Amino acid sequence: MSAFEDPSDAGEGFVFSEKPIQLESGEGVHLTASDGTEYLDFGASYACTPLGHCPPAVVDAVQEQAAELLYVQASYPNSARTELYERLGAVAPGDLSKVWLCNSGTEANEAAMKFARSATGREKVVATKRGFHGRTLGALAMTWKKKYRAPFEPVAGGVEFVDYGDEEALAEAVGDETAAVFLEPVQGEGGINPAGDGYLQSARDLTADAGAALVFDEIQTGMGRTGDLWACEGAGVQPDILTTAKGVASGLPLGATLCADWIADGAASHGSTFSGNPVVAAAANATLEELVANDVPGNAAKVGEYLTTQLAEAVEEHDLPVRDVRGEGLMIGVEVKRGANRYLRDLAMEHQILALPAGRSVVRLLPPLVINEGHAREVVDALTEVL
């Protein structure tokens, strides 16, 4: 753990004991520590490994590309990068066929903010309380939690926060001066909060009427996590801009900003030295191919429903100290009545299961999307015992 990491921070490293678990290898849904202990991974490093650890198709693609070309700047065409532009455009929701590549989720959101402001000629951005969009100064301005923003202020201006899920509050905030509305279809770090019925469609209607861009941050919800390749597809709502990262390249550093034509045509110039690194692009191409060909989102929907149902039944049967079980697909939050970290520690130390916090009181389950019902049952039994 670096000197800059806070072990209690839900957005960074989490320490289960005085001696952190040192992970050295992984295969499928399991990770192995330096002492040989094997852990069932139900955090997927914040949704970065949708296919599990070291999926053969991705490993092969990376090794093959690394032997040919490690890097060339984006001004020169490269087959791996070109394929990724085409592949992302093909699987994007609706007509979001214009793709900009970068290295992380926060960069993808920075680009989305810049594109929306330059395409509309406006400044104001509407974001939501409990939302998380990144840690660089632009994305940080749209991130709600004060502990992230306060030490680095002043951050980018022109951002107004509204309650997530409140259609009336959103309507009051969006107007002719609005450049964009940034939303997570399911809030991740904010506590695994799905958007209420009709909320995303209301946001679509409001932004369309105002001539503003609707931006969906699918950095955690994308890549099949919620049971569809993109969470917005399940809601039947198409944004003007969609951002993705985390699992798109099976954990290698890649982000992408997908745009509608009117955004791409109206946006000012933007660039990045490492945009579309060939090795990382190869990993992303293999990841996307495996996700689609094997209907991995379908497995997330099926096992996620089983896991959520079994957790809810266990809470009722054993009168567990749980306020709520919620989520979509394999993006599940178990809100407990006391701090989540103690339960996460017991899961890791007593049952060799790795999960994550989402704030102080939510146990966040974000396993690889290739888990089966047996793995889900193991987690239900272990969580029941520690609770």
Side-chain angles (χ1 to χ4, degrees):
M1 186 174 66
S2 79
F4 295 103
E5 289 179 337
D6 176 359
S8 66
D9 184 345
E12 288 289 355
F14 181 73
V15 179
F16 298 105
S17 64
E18 292 183 1
K19 184 178 181 180
I21 298 169
Q22 182 170 318
L23 299 170
E24 296 293 348
S25 64
E27 182 177 3
V29 299
H30 292 93
L31 288 162
T32 302
S34 56
D35 64 1
T37 303
E38 185 176 84
Y39 295 88
L40 176 59
D41 184 7
F42 255 61
S45 294
Y46 295 94
C48 285
T49 57
L51 299 175
H53 297 281
C54 298
V58 177
V59 172
D60 289 347
V62 167
Q63 291 177 336
E64 182 178 340
Q65 180 60 51
E68 293 293 331
L69 181 65
L70 285 173
Y71 175 71
V72 66
Q73 68 193 66
S75 55
Y76 294 103
N78 170 264
S79 57
R81 184 188 300 120
T82 299
E83 181 184 345
L84 182 55
Y85 286 138
E86 295 172 349
R87 195 180 287 274
L88 279 171
V91 301
D95 60 357
L96 304 186
S97 60
K98 301 298 175 63
V99 179
W100 184 76
L101 299 174
C102 56
N103 313 286
S104 65
T106 192
E107 289 175 77
N109 281 332
E110 290 270 350
M113 183 188 234
K114 291 177 70 175
F115 295 160
R117 282 180 165 175
S118 58
T120 62
R122 305 169 182 175
E123 177 187 359
K124 181 179 178 180
V125 171
V126 179
T128 61
K129 297 176 183 179
R130 295 190 179 185
F132 184 90
H133 298 289
R135 296 172 184 265
T136 50
L137 285 179
L140 188 61
M142 301 182 291
T143 293
W144 167 248
K145 195 173 287 187
K146 288 184 179 180
K147 77 170 185 177
Y148 296 141
R149 286 188 286 115
F152 304 104
E153 290 179 337
V155 294
V159 178
E160 178 179 347
F161 291 98
V162 297
D163 288 330
Y164 185 74
D166 187 332
E167 295 180 30
E168 291 185 5
L170 188 62
E172 290 179 4
V174 176
D176 294 342
E177 74 284 3
T178 305
V181 172
F182 273 73
L183 296 174
E184 298 163 87
V186 180
Q187 286 188 325
E189 180 165 340
I192 311 297
N193 305 309
D197 292 342
Y199 182 63
L200 298 183
Q201 183 60 56
S202 178
R204 174 68 287 174
D205 295 340
L206 289 166
T207 50
D209 290 345
L214 177 61
V215 184
F216 283 161
D217 177 339
E218 294 239 21
I219 290 164
Q220 193 165 143
T221 57
M223 297 297 104
R225 172 70 42 193
T226 63
D228 294 281
L229 190 61
W230 310 106
C232 65
E233 291 179 323
V237 180
Q238 182 185 324
D240 300 295
I241 305 175
L242 182 148
T243 58
T244 184
K246 293 194 182 292
V248 68
S250 289
L252 294 187
L254 179 71
T257 307
L258 285 56
C259 302
D261 286 345
W262 77 270
I263 295 290
D265 293 342
S269 176
H270 186 55
S272 170
T273 297
F274 294 110
S275 176
N277 174 286
V279 175
V280 180
N285 287 324
T287 300
L288 286 164
E289 183 174 1
E290 291 290 302
L291 284 169
V292 174
N294 297 312
D295 190 22
V296 174
N299 187 67
K302 176 186 173 184
V303 181
E305 181 179 4
Y306 172 83
L307 177 55
T308 303
T309 299
Q310 293 299 308
L311 284 168
E313 290 180 358
V315 169
E316 183 175 355
E317 179 181 351
H318 300 283
D319 192 25
L320 301 178
V322 171
R323 291 190 175 94
D324 193 20
V325 177
R326 57 180 178 264
E328 294 182 12
L330 284 172
M331 186 175 182
I332 298 170
V334 181
E335 184 177 356
V336 296
K337 294 181 179 179
R338 290 179 284 180
N341 283 359
R342 57 180 295 191
Y343 301 121
L344 292 166
R345 181 187 63 244
D346 290 347
L347 279 174
M349 297 296 101
E350 298 175 13
H351 297 276
Q352 291 72 57
I353 294 171
L354 303 179
L356 300 164
R360 297 293 182 187
S361 62
V362 176
V363 174
R364 177 168 26 172
L365 303 178
L366 298 175
L369 306 183
V370 293
I371 65 164
N372 58 39
E373 291 184 359
H375 300 126
R377 184 71 251 175
E378 183 179 344
V379 169
V380 171
D381 291 343
L383 192 54
T384 298
E385 182 175 324
V386 302
L387 287 168

